[in-house]
Amino acid sequence: MGETIEIRAGDGSTARIALRGAEPVSWQVEGRDYLWSGDPEHWNRHAPWLFPVVGASSGGSVQVGGRSYPMAQHGFARDLPFSVMAQTEDAVTLRLTDSEATQAHYPFPFRLTIEARLSARTLAFTIQVENAGEAALSYALGFHPAFPWPFAEGERRAGGGYAVLFEEAERPFVPEVGAGGLLLRSERALPLDGGRLDLDPELFTEALVFLNAKSRAMRFVAPNGRAIALRMEDFPHLAVWTKPTAPFLSLEAWTGHADWAGFTGELAERDSQRLLAPGETARHGIALAIEG
């Protein structure tokens, strides 16, 4: 985990943000931690930021200007140290800037700035991506938080009545995921009733990816009515993921997604990548809230 910074709200809520990856590693409300523990037996992360790509890249690399650059799944930001730009009792601002290490994978000057702000029952993030270079910058951004499942006392995971509630009715079909995490053009059907997805661990042979979703919020709801809500600004794609035997659930918000199987083009041609002109800054927002 490395070094972390703790922020506190007036109601006693706390959050800890790791300098490595600017990753939230703890979010405690009323004495309960609502972020996944990072137990390496199941998944050794908590709530990573995904940049400059989301998902897998075809062949494990991206093409820029006819040259191939190695690119890990979900990019590199989650594994690099961020610098502290500002800090108060209830907020911290962290920044990742391009370096020799990032240029070996992504030949663009950039600044990725993430502000975390804590208030009563809410942990909110403002994210800025800045093109610090002289050419167009291609990027994707994602947030991948995981939460204990079950998160309420006395509940159970399988058959326990947990559900994800989408803000809007969504298509009950998602792309299948192929070898290496690439998306396939074929789809699988889901037991999605309008905006309600009743959770069963056996659903998750792969991530459930909702491309161009209508919803700008989704809620992970316990049988007792308490919910963890994820609200987003300028993240068109959503995902829900776990492993069949892992006691967590991840709700994800993405601007981009994995390559389609067979894709061989340039990074800027990758489906759903964003392009920033020189000197341009893009802003995105995320908020986690405890409801009920």
Side-chain angles (χ1 to χ4, degrees):
M1 183 186 305
E3 185 179 352
T4 64
I5 291 176
E6 183 174 273
I7 54 178
R8 308 182 70 88
D11 69 338
S13 299
T14 63
R16 285 188 295 120
I17 313 297
L19 294 188
R20 181 176 179 265
E23 180 178 4
V25 297
S26 174
W27 174 40
Q28 292 198 6
V29 178
E30 298 170 349
R32 181 183 296 276
D33 203 324
Y34 284 93
L35 281 183
W36 164 244
S37 67
D39 181 352
E41 181 179 349
H42 299 289
W43 190 51
N44 64 349
R45 300 184 188 267
H46 308 263
W49 295 99
L50 318 179
F51 177 89
V53 300
V54 172
S57 299
S58 183
S61 64
V62 297
Q63 311 300 314
V64 180
R67 179 179 169 184
S68 180
Y69 294 84
M71 183 64 71
Q73 184 178 27
H74 294 321
F76 49 70
R78 61 184 182 170
D79 294 318
L80 294 180
F82 280 59
S83 299
V84 179
M85 306 306 296
Q87 184 178 357
T88 63
E89 183 177 14
D90 63 357
V92 63
T93 301
L94 304 173
R95 177 175 291 168
L96 177 67
T97 304
D98 64 282
S99 64
E100 185 176 342
T102 69
Q103 291 278 338
H105 301 273
Y106 182 66
F108 298 100
F110 69 88
R111 284 187 282 269
L112 173 63
T113 306
I114 300 174
E115 179 197 63
R117 184 170 297 274
L118 188 66
S119 57
R121 302 164 70 91
T122 300
L123 178 58
F125 302 92
T126 301
I127 311 98
Q128 294 188 161
V129 181
E130 181 180 353
N131 183 352
E134 298 179 355
L137 179 145
S138 174
Y139 81 93
L141 175 71
F143 187 44
H144 192 335
F147 314 100
W149 177 19
F151 63 80
E153 289 184 0
E155 303 291 351
R156 55 196 175 92
R157 189 167 179 256
Y162 277 83
V164 171
L165 301 183
F166 293 90
E167 180 183 45
E168 305 285 347
E170 300 291 349
R171 287 184 71 242
F173 298 94
V174 293
E176 292 188 298
V177 180
L182 302 180
L183 297 185
L184 305 179
R185 297 293 180 177
S186 55
E187 294 186 316
R188 59 178 289 205
L190 296 179
L192 183 62
D193 183 7
R196 182 183 178 92
L197 179 66
D198 288 315
L199 292 173
D200 183 330
E202 299 307 314
L203 279 174
F204 295 98
T205 54
E206 57 197 34
L208 309 180
V209 179
F210 297 85
L211 299 180
N212 298 305
K214 298 176 183 177
S215 300
R216 299 278 63 83
M218 50 183 173
R219 302 165 68 236
F220 176 29
V221 183
N224 66 5
R226 176 153 286 203
I228 302 171
L230 172 66
R231 305 187 186 98
M232 64 221 74
E233 180 182 346
D234 200 12
F235 287 91
H237 313 300
L238 308 180
V240 182
W241 173 74
T242 187
K243 302 174 183 179
T245 59
F248 68 81
L249 184 78
S250 181
L251 303 181
E252 306 180 43
W254 306 341
T255 69
H257 56 73
D259 274 337
W260 295 102
F263 176 74
T264 59
E266 291 268 315
L267 177 63
E269 299 169 334
R270 181 170 173 162
D271 197 5
S272 80
Q273 285 285 118
R274 301 286 180 92
L275 287 179
L276 283 181
E280 187 176 5
T281 298
R283 292 172 175 82
H284 305 269
I286 288 282
L288 300 176
I290 301 300
E291 299 177 349

